[in-house]
Each structure stands twice: as C-alpha cells, then as structure tokens.
Amino acid sequence: MSSTVSDNINNAQQKVVLIGRPNSGKSLLFNQLTGLQQKVANFPGVTVELKSGKMKDLTIVDFPGTYSLHSFSQDEQVAVDAIYKALDSDETGLIVCVLDASRLERSLVFGLQIQALAKKHNKGFVFVINMIDDALRFGHEIDVQGLSTELGSPVFALSAKTLIGLSEFQQALPELVEKQQSTIPKIVNDNHDDVIKQSRQLAYKFGMNANVVLKQQNRIDQFLLHNWLGGVAFMAIMFLLFQSIFTWATPLMDAVESGIGILASFVSKMLPEGIFNDFLNDAIFGGVGSFLVFVPQIMVLTFIIGLLEDSGYLARAALICHKPLSFFGLSGRSFIPYLSGHACAIPAIMAARTIESPRKRLITMMTIPLMSCSARLPVYALLIAVFIPQVQYLGGLVNTQGMVFFGLYMTGIVTALIVSFVMDKMHFADSDKSEMPFILELPSYRLPHWKPLMYRVLNSAKYFIRRAAPVIFMVSVGIWILGYFPIHEGGLENSYLGHIGHFIEPLFEPLGIDWRYGVAILMSFLAREVFVGTLGTLFGIEGADENIAGLAANIQNDGLTFAAGMGLLMFYVIALQCVATVATIKAETGSQKIAWGLVVGYGALAYLMAFIVYNIF
C-alpha cells in the first residue's frame, strides 16, 4: 500500500471523505486506511486542515471533526465549509460518517444530518461504527444488519485501534465507490428535534447501554475532577511530566553525548591537522553536535504529552483549568493550546482556533510564545546542568534539576497568565465581552494506540532536527569562519568575531555575561536552540582538542557566575526568538504590528527580568 500526504487533494481520483465528531477515532481510521501517521488526539482542533492519502486507487480525505453543521469555532467552520464543498464536488465518490460505538446517540445526531445532505446531493454514503472493541468489552454486540436496514445506508462495525473489521471495510470500499451507493434514509428532515428523537430511538434499540460506560468513567472522574483532589492530581501530573524529561532522558542524552565524543575523536585522528580538521571539530561536532545531545528530551516530552492526549485526560485538564483561566481573561479551551505550546508554538497557535471567543482566542495566541517550547529545552538543560547539582530524592524519581526545570516551565506559564490578565483589563482585543457558556465533551478513558504514539515521538525528533539542524549548521559555519580567522593573530579574542562581540558587549555587561554569550543570544533570535550550537562552536575554537561534546563542562570551567546563569535562564523563558512563530502569529492574526510588537515587547521584558534576577542573586 503506497501513501502520500497532500493538502491539495488529488483531483484525478475518486475521493472517499471521512466525516465525524471529535473523539470518534476518525483520524486513526484515516491512518490505518492510508498508512499515514496523522496526529490523533481526544479533543477538537487537532485536525484543522484537510489531509489526504491514497489507498490503492482511492484518495481518502480526512475532514476536521465537528459536533454540528452549525459551527461555533473557526476549526468547526473549516469542517462545515469543506463538507458542503465536498457535497457539491463531482469528484466525491463516497461519504463515510464515523460513529462512536460507545456514544451512538450523540454520533447519530450529526450522522443523520450528514446522511440527509448526502441524499439531497445524490452522494454515496456509508456509516462506520468505530471503537466496536469498547462495545465488545462491555459484552454488547451491535446488530449491524438491523441498524443498516433502519438507517437505509450500509453500516460497518470496526475498531481502528484493534483492527477488528478493518480489512472487511477496506475490501468493500472500492465497490461502494464504484456503485455510488445512494442513501435511502427514512427521515430526510432538517428539523433538529426530529433528528434527535430518531437518534435516541436507534441508540436505544441497537446501541450499548450508555450508563455502563458512564459509570466506569464517572468513577475515575470522581477523583480527577474532584474540587480539590483534582487540582492536586493535575499539579502532580504536570510536575511528573517535567521531571520525567530529565530522569527518563538522561541515559539517552549521556549515550548521544558519548557517541558524539567517540565519533569526533575517531574522525579527528583519521584526518591530518589543519583547517578542515578544526572545522569538523569546532563547527560540526562542537556546534551541531552540541544541540543533538538534547533531542532525547524532546522525544520524552512528546511521549508524555501524547499519553495525556490519547488517554482522554487533556479534556479533563481543560475543565479543571477553566475557572482559574477565566480569571485571567482566558478559557478552559486555552489550556490545550498552552500545553501544545510546550512542544511547539506553531501548531499551538493554530489550535487556538477552537476558542469560540475572538477576544480570548487572540489573547491566547499572543501569550502562547511564553510557553517553554521544545526549542528552549537545549538551553534550559545546558544551563541547569552547569549550575544545578543533581541531587536525587524518592529513589531517583525526583531530582533537583527536574525541580528547577519544572520551575522554569511554571515561570513561563505564570508570566503568560499575568500578561493575559493585563491584556484583558486593557481591552486589548474585541471590547465585546459577551461570551458563550463553556461546553466541553469529556471523551471516554482509553489506552493509547502505541504505534501512532511512538511514530509521533520519533517524528518529533526528526522534525526538530530537520528544522533546527540547517539553521544551526549555517550559524555554526558562519561563527566558525568569523572566529577562526585571523586565528594566528591573537586567538578568538582578536578574530573578526571577537571584534564584533566586543562592539556589542556593553549591551550584555549589565547581565553579567561577556561578548561570547551576547553573540549566542543575538544568533538565537533565528531560533532559540542556536544558542547552544553557537556556544559549542565558540568553545570548540577556544578548547581546541579538549572534550568537544562536553559543552556544560567547558562553561563551568569558563567561570560563568551563578547569577548570570540564572539571568540567562530568565531571559530565555520570556524572549520571543523564533522567526517561524512570528510568521504564524502574523498569519493567524492578520497583523504584522502584533507579530513584531510581541518580539520587541517580550524581548524588552526578558532583558529587564534577566537584569533583575542577575542583581538579586
């Protein structure tokens, strides 16, 4: 089975359109049919753009999940617009509506609306009852043939997770498209009350007892959504999340660092001394190699967030956070983009489309850059390794470095909340404060589907390397050339880079750092992780044949003070140093003034806070 991804759907083939509510497993079904690995999660707003892939001679299109044809948010509007466009297109061969076996009544309300539209547009239509494994787990077997007769459309029962019934559906798809199976629903009625009544009757006759599912779900929710126990559990989960980035990733980081050191020594011995040898040692192994050491932490972060997403806990966390976030002018839905921002700000800003209120959506997007994304991880990890001793507690589950790491992330979150509060009180966004009530569907608790999760983890590492490595390579080469020449006339201090660095040094002296760190900060405005690569190159040039990968040890030996190090950490918690994020903010807000205003504003605030921290310590 071959597969490709395209945002522009292939017009040469018949399309099979997947439509369904959030949490119905639609995207996982899409992955299984096409062999692709689109992100799957238990909350709306994950898929806010059309994705397509091939299954043999068919083009499968995954539409954004939506609860209703009457949209309340931007991502739902994307889905609704796309649905009507697909129904009007001659290239659409079949509409597949994905239902949730454990919540058949709710799924059918939307499904019957889509079925009626498909009938009016004379489009082939089929129902897929997904997550049939949940029904079987509770001892319920759905009468597929009887339900198909009642609905007047073909019905398939399957599990995209356990693959039950999937092969039968795959085999039937080409024939269904070829026949252009028309729908013959008993009720073609736009009256919402009639649709709800029919859905309830069908779910009662053919569906599983919803109380059985809710009883199990409620037992867990009694603890996780308890008035104060839920908050304690939430803080404990967040604390363990950031602790795990250090404790779980340390062995992998040590292995990567050792591997880079061994490779560097081997290559250095194989080549004669000279400029090329120095370039490989200083720019490649010293610069690019220094940031590769921190890739395991990004993988661990992605893995933990993936567990929270796939299990269904994120929706509960959004519910827990709604009341406190409302005080700061935000919504419970702001929590999901905020948490996503700890991986990467770009998809997090796009995920803010799920927030119904234009005011809260804008404030959320503008404060997401204060979340500590994965690009900050190398900077945090490097400086923490330099200044914070690794003292372990509770058998190694908790250590001081992880606690400081958690503190840095919380500092970013608290700063974002304070900025949000100020923006809200300043009436920065739309002055109309009339809001819709906060409504959020709580998905069933489920075990993660491990294959897509592990693919996501590996893909996060590949994406980070692919995005950061070219920039770090170019910066490292540029820094090396400026710092190496004229190397025989007094070393790094008197190089071209040294002259540039000393020119800008007065700007950074109030923070207790010299020109080398100043150069690294300026270079990192391209991307934060460049800070590590730049320092790796600079210390590589100075250190000559010393330990190339041991950048933390080089900084310790250099004598950077604790106060200056803490100030640097504070600077990177706040400063907006990512060109791609700026571009995304500009695209989503439609305002260049807002995008570059955030760069200047957060940059000035970061400098001020770094100065305060330096003088406090």
Side-chain angles (χ1 to χ4, degrees):
M1 181 186 299
S2 61
S3 63
T4 62
V5 180
S6 172
D7 291 326
N8 296 320
I9 304 166
N10 187 348
N11 293 328
Q13 293 179 312
Q14 285 286 287
K15 300 173 192 173
V16 176
V17 175
L18 299 184
I19 296 174
R21 287 165 53 95
N23 310 318
S24 62
K26 173 179 57 62
S27 292
L28 180 56
L29 176 60
F30 170 77
N31 288 342
Q32 299 288 20
L33 292 175
T34 63
L36 302 178
Q37 298 295 338
Q38 185 183 0
K39 186 176 181 182
V40 181
N42 276 315
F43 53 83
V46 174
T47 311
V48 292
E49 294 178 329
L50 302 185
K51 296 293 181 182
S52 68
K54 291 182 181 178
M55 191 197 83
K56 298 182 180 178
D57 295 328
L58 299 176
T59 297
I60 313 294
V61 187
D62 182 24
F63 277 41
T66 182
Y67 293 105
S68 170
L69 291 175
H70 306 288
S71 61
F72 294 104
S73 62
Q74 285 188 350
D75 68 310
E76 284 189 311
Q77 189 60 50
V78 171
V80 173
D81 292 344
I83 288 170
Y84 281 107
K85 186 176 180 180
L87 289 169
D88 289 332
S89 173
D90 294 334
E91 296 156 5
T92 300
L94 184 68
I95 304 292
V96 177
C97 184
V98 182
L99 310 176
D100 182 353
S102 63
R103 301 186 178 192
L104 193 58
E105 180 181 339
R106 296 181 187 178
S107 299
L108 277 171
V109 171
F110 179 60
L112 290 173
Q113 292 175 345
I114 299 298
Q115 185 192 38
L117 281 176
K119 173 65 176 178
K120 290 179 180 179
H121 289 78
N122 197 31
K123 295 295 181 184
F125 188 89
V126 60
F127 285 104
V128 166
I129 304 178
N130 195 15
M131 303 179 186
I132 194 66
D133 54 315
D134 282 354
L136 296 175
R137 183 160 52 91
F138 289 104
H140 181 82
E141 188 169 341
I142 294 177
D143 181 3
V144 175
Q145 188 58 47
L147 182 59
S148 176
T149 301
E150 290 283 339
L151 289 170
S153 293
V155 176
F156 292 83
L158 56 83
S159 169
K161 179 180 177 181
T162 64
L163 308 184
I164 296 174
L166 183 64
S167 60
E168 290 84 351
F169 178 63
Q170 286 176 310
Q171 292 172 6
L173 262 181
E175 184 179 352
L176 289 169
V177 174
E178 184 178 347
K179 286 183 176 179
Q180 292 282 309
Q181 178 78 39
S182 60
T183 59
I184 47 171
K186 292 186 176 181
I187 298 179
V188 182
N189 195 330
D190 292 333
N191 187 294
H192 189 61
D193 292 336
D194 290 343
V195 171
I196 291 176
K197 182 179 178 181
Q198 187 187 15
S199 300
R200 185 177 294 118
Q201 291 173 346
L202 290 172
Y204 178 79
K205 184 176 182 179
F206 296 100
M208 59 187 295
N209 188 346
N211 292 329
V212 176
V213 181
L214 289 174
K215 186 177 180 181
Q216 182 191 58
Q217 181 176 310
N218 290 340
R219 275 200 300 264
I220 304 175
D221 283 342
Q222 282 177 357
F223 171 71
L224 290 179
L225 297 180
H226 189 271
N227 286 339
W228 63 272
L229 284 177
V232 172
F234 172 77
M235 292 303 297
I237 290 171
M238 293 299 105
F239 180 75
L240 290 175
L241 187 159
F242 298 119
Q243 273 286 331
S244 65
I245 294 173
F246 261 89
T247 55
W248 293 5
T250 296
L252 287 173
M253 292 175 66
D254 293 340
V256 173
E257 185 173 15
S258 299
I260 292 173
I262 294 170
L263 181 61
S265 299
F266 175 77
V267 172
S268 181
K269 291 176 182 178
M270 292 289 291
L271 297 174
E273 292 186 5
I275 292 179
F276 186 62
N277 195 323
D278 291 340
F279 170 76
L280 286 177
N281 282 336
D282 304 339
I284 304 303
F285 292 110
V288 180
S290 295
F291 104 97
L292 289 176
V293 172
F294 304 101
V295 171
Q297 290 184 322
I298 292 161
M299 296 173 67
V300 171
L301 175 64
T302 306
F303 177 74
I304 300 297
I305 292 179
L307 284 179
L308 296 177
E309 289 176 351
D310 293 353
S311 67
Y313 179 74
L314 275 194
R316 273 82 182 173
L319 188 62
I320 291 170
C321 293
H322 176 66
K323 188 172 182 179
L325 286 177
S326 297
F327 175 79
F328 296 96
L330 299 169
S331 161
R333 288 184 180 270
S334 301
F335 170 77
I336 292 169
Y338 268 13
L339 186 62
S340 300
H342 288 95
C344 182
I346 295 170
I349 291 169
M350 297 176 67
R353 297 173 184 173
T354 61
I355 302 171
E356 297 90 346
S357 165
R359 177 188 183 84
K360 293 180 178 180
R361 187 186 314 130
L362 180 59
I363 293 176
T364 302
M365 286 192 292
M366 293 179 66
T367 51
I368 282 173
L370 291 167
M371 301 297 109
S372 292
C373 66
S374 59
R376 289 178 168 105
L377 263 175
V379 182
Y380 290 173
L382 174 64
L383 295 176
I384 288 174
V386 171
F387 295 107
I388 307 300
Q390 188 173 1
V391 181
Q392 296 185 345
Y393 304 97
L394 301 178
L397 290 176
V398 178
N399 62 51
T400 50
Q401 292 183 337
M403 293 170 68
V404 173
F405 195 71
F406 175 72
L408 292 172
Y409 273 76
M410 288 306 299
T411 301
I413 294 170
V414 170
T415 305
L417 294 178
I418 293 173
V419 173
S420 298
F421 181 81
V422 173
M423 288 182 178
D424 185 56
K425 297 305 177 185
M426 289 174 61
H427 305 284
F428 180 83
D430 185 359
S431 60
D432 182 12
K433 281 197 166 187
S434 60
E435 302 290 348
M436 295 180 58
F438 176 68
I439 301 173
L440 184 68
E441 182 182 31
L442 297 181
S444 302
Y445 289 104
R446 293 186 176 95
L447 290 174
H449 189 49
W450 296 106
K451 184 178 177 181
L453 177 58
M454 296 313 298
Y455 180 90
R456 197 188 314 172
V457 170
L458 294 174
N459 200 46
S460 69
K462 288 192 294 184
Y463 172 77
F464 180 73
I465 294 171
R466 200 162 46 228
R467 179 181 62 85
V471 177
I472 290 179
F473 174 77
M474 289 186 290
V475 171
S476 297
V477 171
I479 293 294
W480 182 82
I481 292 172
L482 292 173
Y484 192 84
F485 298 102
I487 197 64
H488 299 298
E489 298 183 12
L492 184 61
E493 284 282 336
N494 292 319
S495 66
Y496 300 131
L497 185 63
H499 292 302
I500 297 172
H502 287 301
F503 177 76
I504 64 172
E505 192 169 31
L507 178 64
F508 298 99
E509 280 181 347
L511 305 182
I513 55 180
D514 63 25
W515 66 270
R516 295 168 301 172
Y517 297 94
V519 168
I521 289 174
L522 290 180
M523 291 296 101
S524 66
F525 272 93
L526 293 172
R528 297 176 182 95
E529 58 270 36
V530 171
F531 177 84
V532 175
T534 302
L535 284 183
T537 303
L538 289 171
F539 280 100
I541 295 173
E542 282 191 328
D545 296 327
E546 294 176 9
N547 183 15
I548 294 166
L551 180 55
N554 289 336
I555 294 176
Q556 285 176 331
N557 297 332
D558 183 61
L560 183 68
T561 66
F562 178 80
M566 293 300 101
L568 271 175
L569 282 172
M570 180 56 68
F571 181 89
Y572 276 94
V573 167
I574 299 173
L576 174 49
Q577 299 165 286
C578 180
V579 175
T581 299
V582 176
T584 304
I585 293 173
K586 179 181 177 296
E588 291 294 307
T589 63
S591 172
Q592 186 167 313
K593 182 180 178 181
I594 290 177
W596 290 106
L598 290 178
V599 175
V600 175
Y602 287 151
L605 179 61
Y607 187 93
L608 176 63
M609 294 304 298
F611 176 78
I612 293 173
V613 169
Y614 171 67
N615 283 279
I616 289 176
F617 286 100

